[in-house]
Each structure stands twice: as C-alpha cells, then as structure tokens.
Amino acid sequence: EVQLVESGGGLVQPGGSLRLSCAASGFTLSSYEMNWVRQAPGKGLEWVSYISNGDSGISYADSVKGRFTISRDNAKNSLYLQMDSLRAEDTAVYYCVKAAGTAADNWGQGTLVTVSS
Amino acid sequence: QSALTQPASVSGSPGQSITISCTGTSSDFADFHYVSWYQQHPGKAPQLLIYDVRYRPSGVSHRFSGSKSDNTASLTISGLQAEDEAHYYCSSYTSTSLVFGGGTKLTVL
C-alpha cells in the first residue's frame, strides 16, 4: 500500500525557515514524479513544486521561486521541501503528492505550516 | 487567480445527478487533454476521482464520470449520496506542474 507521511510543519516567524519531509512507503520514490501542493486555511489547492523521477526536472510556482527548494533522498525514500524567507501568505497545509502519469494519484495527510510573529 | 474556472458551489438532492464544470481560461490550457478531478472532504487530503478527462482509478465509484468539450471539462455525479458532499477540484497537467481550479463545494440537500 502506498503511504506518504509528511512532517516538519509548525509555527515559524516571518523570514524564518522550515524543512518539510515526506516519508514514502509502498513504492520506490525515485521512480516517480513528485509534487508539493499546499492549501491555505479555507482556500483551494495550490501547486508548489515538482521534481521529475530522474531529478533532471525541477519547477516551482512563481509564488515560491527563489525561496523554496525541492529535493529527495532516494536511499531514505524521502522527499523534502526546504522553505526559506517564509511569509505570512505561505501559511497552509502542505501535501506531499505522488504523480502517476498525468494526475496526482496519492496524497499524504498534510503538515501545517504557520508563519506568524 | 486560477487558470481553471469552476463554479463556487452546486447542490442537488439525493438520487439526482449534478455536473461541475471546469473551464480553461488561459490559452496555455485551452486544449488540455490531461484533466483530473479530486474530491476533498473537510479535514482530509484530496483523493483522485478522474484522470485523463474520463478514466476512473480502481476503487472509484462508477457514479463519477468525466468528459470534455472544447476548453471545458465536466465532472458528473449520478445518484447523489450524502457522502458525496465535499469540495471538488479540477486540475490540468503540464509536463512540470499541476494547475488547479478554484474548487466547487457540493451540497447534498
């Protein structure tokens, strides 16, 4: 069974940093494209970042470009999102999302990031 | 602002059918073939309902169906049930990103 478990969320001050982790099980992370998707409180889904299965392709939403970095550790079967220079508008639940072809077929339970002083 | 436009809300009575539309508002997505739909219950993670416009993953009820005409994709739910009350999101896939619609709240009366 595919499982994605996010961790690392919490309360951080504006300008601070957090590193989110996503532990994958039930499949080999390195073989799949992965994404981070976020959802601000009471709002819709927003795609944040993508990494290809060969790590050759990485992309970011304009809203986080230059501040967030996606990466993975294949030995640990884990995905990461390094978030720097955090802003209040980054407050959201962050989901780790596995892609299968052209859709997001598995989602983690999410981890809440709150940016506030 | 989402590149995909959905109605904010729809409603229907148990047993009825409803349709949620998803329109591409940008020329980049005007010819989107890779439309997927997600269901999200309050406090839960989204779940994939439909991919590539009309295909259901294993385990998804046949009451959910997808279609597309020109630059508008649609999700139809037949035989509405109370458990269908949720938010629904469409999404269009590019080679390196996902774009989501703003979401539609379905209320089962």
Side-chain angles (χ1 to χ4, degrees), chain A residues 20-103:
Chain A
L20 305 184
S21 299
C22 171
S25 60
F27 71 103
T28 302
L29 189 74
S30 60
S31 299
Y32 290 88
E33 299 173 341
M34 298 294 294
N35 296 268
W36 288 97
V37 174
R38 70 184 180 183
Q39 186 171 36
K43 302 297 185 181
L45 302 173
E46 180 189 14
W47 170 79
V48 172
S49 183
Y50 158 92
I51 185 167
S52 67
N53 51 352
D55 290 0
S56 59
I58 287 177
S59 59
Y60 301 96
D62 288 343
S63 57
V64 307
K65 199 173 295 182
R67 301 187 299 121
F68 290 12
T69 303
I70 191 171
S71 64
R72 68 168 114 204
D73 184 333
N74 293 333
K76 294 183 177 180
N77 219 37
S78 293
L79 180 73
Y80 304 100
L81 186 68
Q82 176 67 40
M83 306 187 296
D84 299 320
S85 303
L86 283 161
R87 306 166 180 167
E89 54 264 35
D90 296 318
T91 294
V93 173
Y94 285 73
Y95 294 101
C96 170
V97 181
K98 172 180 168 287
T102 59

Coordinates of all heavy atoms in Angstrom, one line a residue, chain A residues 20-103:
Chain A
L20 N 10.4 20.6 5.3 CA 9.4 19.6 5.4 C 9.9 18.3 4.8 O 10.7 18.3 3.9 CB 8.1 20.0 4.5 CG 7.5 21.3 4.9 CD1 6.2 21.5 4.0 CD2 7.2 21.4 6.3
S21 N 9.5 17.2 5.4 CA 9.9 15.9 4.9 C 8.7 15.1 4.6 O 7.6 15.3 5.1 CB 10.7 15.1 6.0 OG 11.9 15.8 6.4
C22 N 8.9 14.2 3.7 CA 7.8 13.2 3.3 C 8.4 11.9 3.1 O 9.2 11.6 2.2 CB 7.2 13.7 1.9 SG 6.0 12.5 1.2
A23 N 8.0 11.0 4.1 CA 8.5 9.6 4.0 C 7.5 8.7 3.2 O 6.3 8.7 3.5 CB 8.6 9.1 5.4
A24 N 8.1 8.1 2.2 CA 7.3 7.3 1.3 C 7.5 5.8 1.6 O 8.6 5.4 1.9 CB 7.6 7.6 -0.2
S25 N 6.4 5.1 1.5 CA 6.5 3.6 1.6 C 5.5 3.0 0.6 O 4.5 3.6 0.2 CB 6.2 3.2 3.0 OG 4.9 3.6 3.4
G26 N 5.8 1.7 0.3 CA 4.9 1.0 -0.6 C 5.3 1.2 -2.1 O 4.6 0.6 -3.0
F27 N 6.3 2.1 -2.4 CA 6.7 2.3 -3.7 C 8.1 2.9 -3.7 O 8.6 3.4 -2.6 CB 5.8 3.2 -4.5 CG 5.8 4.6 -4.1 CD1 6.4 5.6 -4.9 CD2 5.1 5.0 -3.0 CE1 6.4 6.9 -4.5 CE2 5.1 6.3 -2.6 CZ 5.8 7.3 -3.3
T28 N 8.8 2.8 -4.8 CA 10.1 3.4 -4.9 C 10.1 4.8 -5.3 O 9.7 5.1 -6.5 CB 11.0 2.6 -5.9 OG1 11.0 1.2 -5.4 CG2 12.4 3.1 -5.9
L29 N 10.3 5.8 -4.4 CA 10.2 7.2 -4.7 C 10.9 7.6 -5.9 O 10.4 8.5 -6.7 CB 10.6 8.0 -3.5 CG 10.4 9.5 -3.4 CD1 8.9 9.7 -3.2 CD2 11.2 10.2 -2.4
S30 N 12.1 7.1 -6.1 CA 12.9 7.6 -7.2 C 12.3 7.3 -8.6 O 12.7 7.9 -9.6 CB 14.3 6.9 -7.2 OG 14.2 5.5 -7.2
S31 N 11.4 6.4 -8.7 CA 10.8 6.0 -9.9 C 9.6 6.9 -10.4 O 9.1 6.8 -11.5 CB 10.3 4.6 -9.9 OG 11.4 3.7 -9.7
Y32 N 9.2 7.9 -9.5 CA 8.0 8.6 -9.7 C 8.3 10.1 -9.7 O 9.1 10.6 -8.9 CB 6.9 8.3 -8.8 CG 6.4 6.9 -9.0 CD1 7.0 5.8 -8.4 CD2 5.3 6.7 -9.8 CE1 6.5 4.5 -8.6 CE2 4.8 5.4 -10.1 CZ 5.4 4.3 -9.5 OH 4.9 3.1 -9.7
E33 N 7.5 10.9 -10.4 CA 7.5 12.3 -10.3 C 6.7 12.6 -9.0 O 5.8 12.0 -8.7 CB 6.8 12.9 -11.5 CG 7.5 12.7 -12.8 CD 6.6 13.1 -14.0 OE1 5.4 13.4 -13.9 OE2 7.2 13.3 -15.1
M34 N 7.2 13.7 -8.3 CA 6.6 14.0 -7.0 C 6.3 15.5 -7.0 O 7.0 16.3 -7.7 CB 7.5 13.7 -5.9 CG 7.8 12.2 -5.7 SD 6.3 11.2 -5.3 CE 5.9 11.9 -3.6
N35 N 5.4 15.9 -6.2 CA 5.0 17.3 -6.1 C 4.7 17.7 -4.6 O 4.5 16.8 -3.8 CB 3.7 17.6 -6.9 CG 3.8 17.4 -8.4 OD1 4.1 18.3 -9.1 ND2 3.6 16.2 -8.8
W36 N 4.8 19.0 -4.4 CA 4.3 19.5 -3.1 C 3.1 20.4 -3.6 O 3.2 21.2 -4.5 CB 5.3 20.3 -2.4 CG 6.4 19.5 -1.7 CD1 7.6 19.2 -2.2 CD2 6.3 18.9 -0.4 NE1 8.3 18.4 -1.3 CE2 7.5 18.2 -0.2 CE3 5.3 18.8 0.6 CZ2 7.7 17.5 1.0 CZ3 5.5 18.1 1.7 CH2 6.7 17.5 1.9
V37 N 2.0 20.3 -2.9 CA 0.8 21.1 -3.1 C 0.4 21.6 -1.7 O 0.4 20.9 -0.7 CB -0.3 20.2 -3.7 CG1 -1.6 21.0 -3.8 CG2 0.1 19.7 -5.1
R38 N -0.1 22.9 -1.7 CA -0.5 23.5 -0.4 C -1.9 24.0 -0.5 O -2.5 24.2 -1.6 CB 0.5 24.6 0.0 CG 0.4 25.8 -0.8 CD 1.5 26.8 -0.4 NE 1.5 28.1 -1.2 CZ 2.4 29.1 -1.0 NH1 3.4 29.0 -0.1 NH2 2.3 30.1 -1.8
Q39 N -2.4 24.2 0.7 CA -3.8 24.7 0.8 C -3.9 25.6 2.0 O -3.8 25.2 3.2 CB -4.8 23.5 1.0 CG -6.2 23.9 1.0 CD -7.1 22.7 0.9 OE1 -6.8 21.6 1.5 NE2 -8.3 22.8 0.2
A40 N -4.0 26.9 1.8 CA -4.2 27.9 2.8 C -5.5 27.6 3.5 O -6.5 27.1 3.0 CB -4.1 29.3 2.2
P41 N -5.6 28.0 4.8 CA -6.8 27.8 5.6 C -8.1 28.3 4.8 O -8.2 29.5 4.5 CB -6.6 28.6 6.9 CG -5.1 28.6 7.0 CD -4.6 28.7 5.6
G42 N -9.0 27.4 4.6 CA -10.3 27.8 4.0 C -10.2 28.1 2.5 O -11.2 28.6 1.9
K43 N -9.0 27.8 1.9 CA -8.8 28.1 0.5 C -8.7 26.8 -0.4 O -8.7 25.7 0.2 CB -7.6 29.0 0.3 CG -7.7 30.3 1.1 CD -8.8 31.2 0.6 CE -8.8 32.5 1.3 NZ -9.9 33.4 0.9
G44 N -8.4 27.0 -1.6 CA -8.3 25.9 -2.6 C -6.8 25.4 -2.6 O -6.0 25.8 -1.9
L45 N -6.6 24.5 -3.5 CA -5.3 23.8 -3.7 C -4.4 24.7 -4.6 O -4.9 25.3 -5.6 CB -5.5 22.4 -4.3 CG -6.4 21.5 -3.6 CD1 -6.6 20.2 -4.4 CD2 -5.8 21.1 -2.3
E46 N -3.2 24.7 -4.2 CA -2.2 25.5 -5.0 C -0.9 24.6 -5.2 O -0.3 24.2 -4.2 CB -1.8 26.8 -4.3 CG -0.7 27.6 -5.0 CD -0.2 28.7 -4.3 OE1 -0.4 28.8 -3.0 OE2 0.5 29.6 -4.9
W47 N -0.6 24.3 -6.4 CA 0.6 23.6 -6.7 C 1.9 24.4 -6.3 O 1.9 25.6 -6.5 CB 0.7 23.2 -8.2 CG 2.0 22.7 -8.6 CD1 2.5 21.4 -8.4 CD2 3.1 23.4 -9.2 NE1 3.8 21.3 -8.9 CE2 4.1 22.5 -9.4 CE3 3.2 24.7 -9.7 CZ2 5.3 22.8 -10.0 CZ3 4.4 25.0 -10.3 CH2 5.4 24.1 -10.5
V48 N 2.9 23.8 -5.7 CA 4.0 24.5 -5.2 C 5.3 24.1 -5.9 O 6.0 25.0 -6.4 CB 4.2 24.2 -3.7 CG1 5.6 24.8 -3.2 CG2 3.1 24.7 -2.8
S49 N 5.5 22.8 -6.1 CA 6.8 22.4 -6.7 C 6.7 21.0 -7.2 O 5.9 20.2 -6.8 CB 7.9 22.5 -5.6 OG 9.2 22.2 -6.2
Y50 N 7.6 20.7 -8.2 CA 7.6 19.4 -8.9 C 9.1 19.0 -9.0 O 10.0 19.8 -9.2 CB 7.0 19.6 -10.3 CG 7.4 18.6 -11.3 CD1 6.7 17.5 -11.5 CD2 8.6 18.8 -12.1 CE1 7.1 16.6 -12.5 CE2 9.0 17.9 -13.0 CZ 8.2 16.8 -13.3 OH 8.6 15.8 -14.2
I51 N 9.3 17.6 -8.9 CA 10.6 17.1 -9.2 C 10.4 15.8 -10.0 O 9.5 15.0 -9.7 CB 11.4 16.8 -7.9 CG1 12.8 16.3 -8.2 CG2 10.7 15.7 -7.0 CD1 13.7 16.3 -7.0
S52 N 11.1 15.7 -11.1 CA 11.0 14.6 -12.0 C 11.6 13.3 -11.4 O 12.3 13.3 -10.4 CB 11.6 14.9 -13.4 OG 13.0 14.9 -13.2
N53 N 11.2 12.2 -12.0 CA 11.7 10.9 -11.5 C 13.2 10.8 -11.6 O 13.8 10.0 -10.9 CB 11.0 9.7 -12.1 CG 11.0 9.8 -13.6 OD1 11.4 10.7 -14.2 ND2 10.5 8.7 -14.2
G54 N 13.8 11.4 -12.6 CA 15.3 11.4 -12.7 C 16.0 12.6 -12.1 O 17.2 12.7 -12.2
D55 N 15.2 13.4 -11.4 CA 15.7 14.6 -10.7 C 16.2 15.6 -11.8 O 16.8 16.6 -11.4 CB 16.8 14.3 -9.7 CG 16.2 13.6 -8.5 OD1 15.0 13.4 -8.4 OD2 17.0 13.3 -7.6
S56 N 16.0 15.4 -13.0 CA 16.6 16.3 -14.0 C 15.6 17.5 -14.2 O 16.1 18.5 -14.7 CB 16.7 15.6 -15.4 OG 15.5 15.1 -15.8
G57 N 14.4 17.3 -13.8 CA 13.4 18.4 -14.0 C 12.9 18.8 -12.6 O 12.4 18.0 -11.8
I58 N 13.0 20.1 -12.4 CA 12.5 20.7 -11.1 C 11.8 22.0 -11.5 O 12.4 22.7 -12.3 CB 13.7 21.0 -10.1 CG1 14.2 19.6 -9.5 CG2 13.2 21.9 -9.0 CD1 15.3 19.8 -8.5
S59 N 10.7 22.2 -10.9 CA 10.0 23.5 -11.2 C 9.3 24.0 -9.9 O 9.0 23.2 -9.0 CB 9.0 23.4 -12.4 OG 8.0 22.4 -12.1
Y60 N 9.0 25.3 -9.9 CA 8.4 25.9 -8.8 C 7.3 26.9 -9.2 O 7.4 27.5 -10.3 CB 9.4 26.7 -8.0 CG 10.5 25.9 -7.4 CD1 11.7 25.8 -8.1 CD2 10.4 25.2 -6.2 CE1 12.8 25.0 -7.7 CE2 11.5 24.4 -5.8 CZ 12.6 24.4 -6.5 OH 13.7 23.6 -6.0
A61 N 6.3 27.1 -8.4 CA 5.3 28.1 -8.6 C 6.0 29.5 -8.5 O 7.0 29.6 -7.7 CB 4.2 28.0 -7.6
D62 N 5.5 30.5 -9.2 CA 6.2 31.8 -9.1 C 6.1 32.3 -7.7 O 7.1 33.0 -7.3 CB 5.4 32.7 -10.1 CG 5.7 32.5 -11.5 OD1 6.7 31.8 -11.8 OD2 4.9 32.9 -12.4
S63 N 5.1 32.0 -6.9 CA 5.0 32.5 -5.6 C 6.1 32.0 -4.6 O 6.3 32.6 -3.6 CB 3.6 32.1 -5.0 OG 3.4 30.7 -5.0
V64 N 6.8 30.9 -5.0 CA 7.8 30.4 -4.1 C 9.2 30.3 -4.7 O 10.2 30.0 -4.0 CB 7.4 29.0 -3.5 CG1 6.0 29.0 -2.9 CG2 7.5 28.0 -4.6
K65 N 9.3 30.7 -6.0 CA 10.5 30.6 -6.7 C 11.6 31.4 -6.0 O 11.3 32.6 -5.7 CB 10.3 31.0 -8.2 CG 11.4 30.5 -9.1 CD 11.0 30.8 -10.6 CE 9.7 30.1 -11.0 NZ 9.4 30.3 -12.4
G66 N 12.8 30.8 -5.8 CA 13.9 31.5 -5.2 C 13.9 31.4 -3.7 O 14.8 31.8 -3.0
R67 N 12.8 30.9 -3.1 CA 12.7 30.8 -1.7 C 12.6 29.3 -1.2 O 13.0 29.0 -0.1 CB 11.5 31.5 -1.1 CG 11.5 33.0 -1.4 CD 10.4 33.8 -0.8 NE 9.0 33.3 -1.2 CZ 8.1 32.8 -0.4 NH1 8.4 32.6 0.9 NH2 6.9 32.4 -0.8
F68 N 12.0 28.5 -2.0 CA 11.8 27.1 -1.7 C 12.6 26.2 -2.6 O 12.9 26.5 -3.7 CB 10.3 26.7 -1.9 CG 9.3 27.2 -1.0 CD1 9.6 28.3 -0.1 CD2 8.0 26.7 -0.9 CE1 8.7 28.8 0.8 CE2 7.1 27.2 -0.1 CZ 7.4 28.3 0.8
T69 N 13.1 25.0 -2.0 CA 13.9 24.1 -2.8 C 13.4 22.7 -2.5 O 13.3 22.2 -1.4 CB 15.4 24.2 -2.3 OG1 15.9 25.5 -2.5 CG2 16.2 23.2 -3.2
I70 N 13.1 22.0 -3.6 CA 12.6 20.6 -3.5 C 13.8 19.7 -3.7 O 14.7 20.0 -4.5 CB 11.5 20.3 -4.6 CG1 10.8 19.0 -4.3 CG2 12.0 20.4 -6.0 CD1 9.6 18.8 -5.2
S71 N 13.8 18.6 -3.0 CA 14.8 17.6 -3.2 C 14.4 16.2 -2.7 O 13.3 16.1 -2.1 CB 16.1 18.0 -2.4 OG 15.8 18.0 -1.0
R72 N 15.1 15.2 -3.0 CA 14.8 13.9 -2.5 C 16.0 13.1 -2.1 O 17.1 13.4 -2.7 CB 13.9 13.1 -3.5 CG 14.6 12.7 -4.8 CD 13.7 11.7 -5.5 NE 13.2 12.2 -6.8 CZ 12.1 11.8 -7.4 NH1 11.4 10.9 -6.8 NH2 11.8 12.4 -8.5
D73 N 15.9 12.2 -1.2 CA 16.9 11.2 -0.8 C 16.4 9.8 -1.2 O 15.6 9.3 -0.4 CB 17.2 11.4 0.7 CG 18.4 10.5 1.1 OD1 18.7 9.5 0.5 OD2 19.0 10.9 2.1
N74 N 16.9 9.3 -2.2 CA 16.4 8.0 -2.7 C 16.8 6.9 -1.7 O 16.0 5.9 -1.6 CB 17.0 7.7 -4.1 CG 16.4 8.6 -5.1 OD1 15.3 9.2 -5.0 ND2 17.2 8.9 -6.2
A75 N 17.9 7.0 -1.1 CA 18.3 6.0 -0.1 C 17.3 5.9 1.1 O 17.0 4.8 1.6 CB 19.7 6.2 0.4
K76 N 16.7 7.1 1.4 CA 15.8 7.1 2.5 C 14.3 7.1 2.0 O 13.4 7.2 2.8 CB 16.0 8.4 3.3 CG 17.3 8.4 4.1 CD 17.5 9.7 4.9 CE 18.8 9.7 5.7 NZ 18.9 10.9 6.6
N77 N 14.2 7.0 0.7 CA 12.8 7.0 0.1 C 12.0 8.2 0.6 O 10.8 8.1 0.9 CB 12.1 5.7 0.4 CG 11.3 5.3 -0.8 OD1 11.7 5.4 -2.0 ND2 10.1 4.7 -0.6
S78 N 12.6 9.4 0.6 CA 12.0 10.6 1.2 C 12.1 11.8 0.3 O 13.1 11.9 -0.5 CB 12.6 10.9 2.5 OG 12.3 9.9 3.5
L79 N 11.1 12.6 0.4 CA 11.0 13.9 -0.4 C 11.1 15.0 0.6 O 10.6 14.9 1.7 CB 9.7 13.9 -1.2 CG 9.4 15.2 -2.0 CD1 10.3 15.1 -3.3 CD2 8.0 15.2 -2.4
Y80 N 11.7 16.1 0.2 CA 11.9 17.3 1.1 C 11.4 18.6 0.4 O 11.4 18.7 -0.8 CB 13.3 17.4 1.5 CG 13.9 16.2 2.1 CD1 14.7 15.3 1.4 CD2 13.6 15.8 3.5 CE1 15.2 14.1 2.0 CE2 14.1 14.7 4.0 CZ 14.9 13.8 3.3 OH 15.3 12.7 3.8
L81 N 11.1 19.5 1.2 CA 10.9 20.9 0.8 C 11.5 21.9 1.8 O 11.1 22.0 2.9 CB 9.4 21.2 0.6 CG 9.0 22.6 0.0 CD1 9.5 22.6 -1.5 CD2 7.6 22.9 0.1
Q82 N 12.6 22.5 1.3 CA 13.3 23.5 2.2 C 12.6 24.8 1.9 O 12.6 25.3 0.7 CB 14.8 23.5 1.8 CG 15.5 24.6 2.6 CD 15.6 24.4 4.1 OE1 15.8 23.3 4.5 NE2 15.4 25.4 4.8
M83 N 12.1 25.4 2.9 CA 11.4 26.7 2.8 C 12.1 27.8 3.5 O 12.2 27.7 4.8 CB 9.9 26.5 3.3 CG 9.2 25.4 2.7 SD 7.4 25.3 3.1 CE 7.6 25.0 4.9
D84 N 12.6 28.8 2.8 CA 13.3 29.9 3.4 C 12.5 31.2 3.2 O 11.6 31.3 2.3 CB 14.7 30.0 2.8 CG 15.5 28.8 3.0 OD1 15.5 28.2 4.1 OD2 16.3 28.4 2.1
S85 N 12.9 32.2 3.9 CA 12.3 33.5 3.8 C 10.8 33.4 3.8 O 10.1 34.0 2.9 CB 12.7 34.2 2.5 OG 14.1 34.3 2.4
L86 N 10.3 32.7 4.8 CA 8.8 32.5 4.8 C 8.0 33.7 5.1 O 8.5 34.6 5.8 CB 8.5 31.4 5.9 CG 8.9 30.0 5.5 CD1 9.0 29.0 6.6 CD2 7.8 29.5 4.5
R87 N 6.8 33.7 4.5 CA 5.9 34.9 4.6 C 4.6 34.4 5.2 O 4.3 33.2 5.1 CB 5.7 35.5 3.2 CG 7.0 35.8 2.4 CD 6.6 36.1 1.0 NE 7.8 36.5 0.2 CZ 7.9 36.5 -1.1 NH1 6.8 36.2 -1.8 NH2 9.0 36.8 -1.7
A88 N 3.8 35.4 5.6 CA 2.5 35.0 6.2 C 1.7 34.3 5.2 O 0.9 33.3 5.5 CB 1.8 36.3 6.7
E89 N 1.8 34.6 3.9 CA 1.0 34.0 2.9 C 1.4 32.6 2.5 O 0.8 31.9 1.7 CB 1.0 34.9 1.6 CG 2.3 35.2 1.1 CD 2.8 36.6 1.5 OE1 2.5 37.0 2.7 OE2 3.5 37.3 0.7
D90 N 2.5 32.1 3.2 CA 2.9 30.7 3.0 C 2.2 29.8 4.0 O 2.4 28.6 3.9 CB 4.4 30.6 3.2 CG 5.2 31.3 2.1 OD1 4.8 31.2 0.9 OD2 6.2 31.9 2.4
T91 N 1.4 30.4 4.9 CA 0.7 29.6 5.9 C -0.3 28.7 5.1 O -1.2 29.2 4.4 CB -0.1 30.5 6.8 OG1 0.9 31.2 7.6 CG2 -1.0 29.7 7.7
A92 N -0.2 27.4 5.4 CA -1.0 26.4 4.7 C -0.7 25.0 5.2 O 0.3 24.8 5.9 CB -0.7 26.5 3.2
V93 N -1.6 24.1 4.8 CA -1.3 22.7 4.9 C -0.5 22.3 3.7 O -1.0 22.6 2.5 CB -2.6 21.9 5.1 CG1 -2.2 20.4 5.0 CG2 -3.3 22.2 6.4
Y94 N 0.6 21.7 3.8 CA 1.5 21.2 2.7 C 1.3 19.7 2.5 O 1.5 18.9 3.5 CB 2.9 21.6 3.0 CG 3.2 23.1 2.8 CD1 2.7 24.0 3.7 CD2 3.8 23.6 1.6 CE1 2.9 25.4 3.5 CE2 4.0 24.9 1.4 CZ 3.6 25.8 2.4 OH 3.8 27.2 2.2
Y95 N 1.0 19.4 1.3 CA 0.8 18.0 1.0 C 1.9 17.5 0.1 O 2.3 18.1 -0.9 CB -0.5 17.7 0.2 CG -1.8 18.0 1.0 CD1 -2.5 19.2 0.8 CD2 -2.3 17.1 1.9 CE1 -3.7 19.4 1.5 CE2 -3.5 17.3 2.6 CZ -4.2 18.5 2.4 OH -5.3 18.7 3.1
C96 N 2.4 16.3 0.4 CA 3.3 15.6 -0.5 C 2.5 14.7 -1.4 O 1.6 14.0 -1.0 CB 4.2 14.7 0.4 SG 5.2 13.5 -0.4
V97 N 2.7 14.8 -2.7 CA 1.8 14.2 -3.7 C 2.6 13.4 -4.7 O 3.5 13.9 -5.4 CB 1.0 15.3 -4.4 CG1 0.1 14.7 -5.4 CG2 0.3 16.2 -3.4
K98 N 2.2 12.2 -4.9 CA 2.9 11.3 -5.9 C 2.1 11.5 -7.2 O 0.8 11.5 -7.2 CB 2.8 9.8 -5.4 CG 3.2 8.8 -6.5 CD 3.1 7.4 -5.9 CE 3.2 6.3 -7.0 NZ 2.0 6.3 -7.8
A99 N 2.8 11.6 -8.3 CA 2.2 11.7 -9.6 C 2.3 10.3 -10.3 O 3.3 9.7 -10.3 CB 2.9 12.8 -10.4
A100 N 1.2 10.0 -11.0 CA 1.2 8.8 -11.9 C 0.8 9.3 -13.2 O -0.4 9.6 -13.4 CB 0.3 7.7 -11.3
G101 N 1.7 9.4 -14.1 CA 1.3 9.9 -15.5 C 0.9 11.3 -15.4 O 1.7 12.2 -15.1
T102 N -0.3 11.6 -15.6 CA -0.8 13.0 -15.7 C -1.7 13.4 -14.5 O -2.4 14.4 -14.6 CB -1.6 13.2 -17.0 OG1 -2.7 12.2 -17.0 CG2 -0.7 12.9 -18.2
A103 N -1.7 12.7 -13.4 CA -2.6 13.0 -12.3 C -1.8 12.7 -11.0 O -0.9 12.0 -10.9 CB -3.9 12.3 -12.4

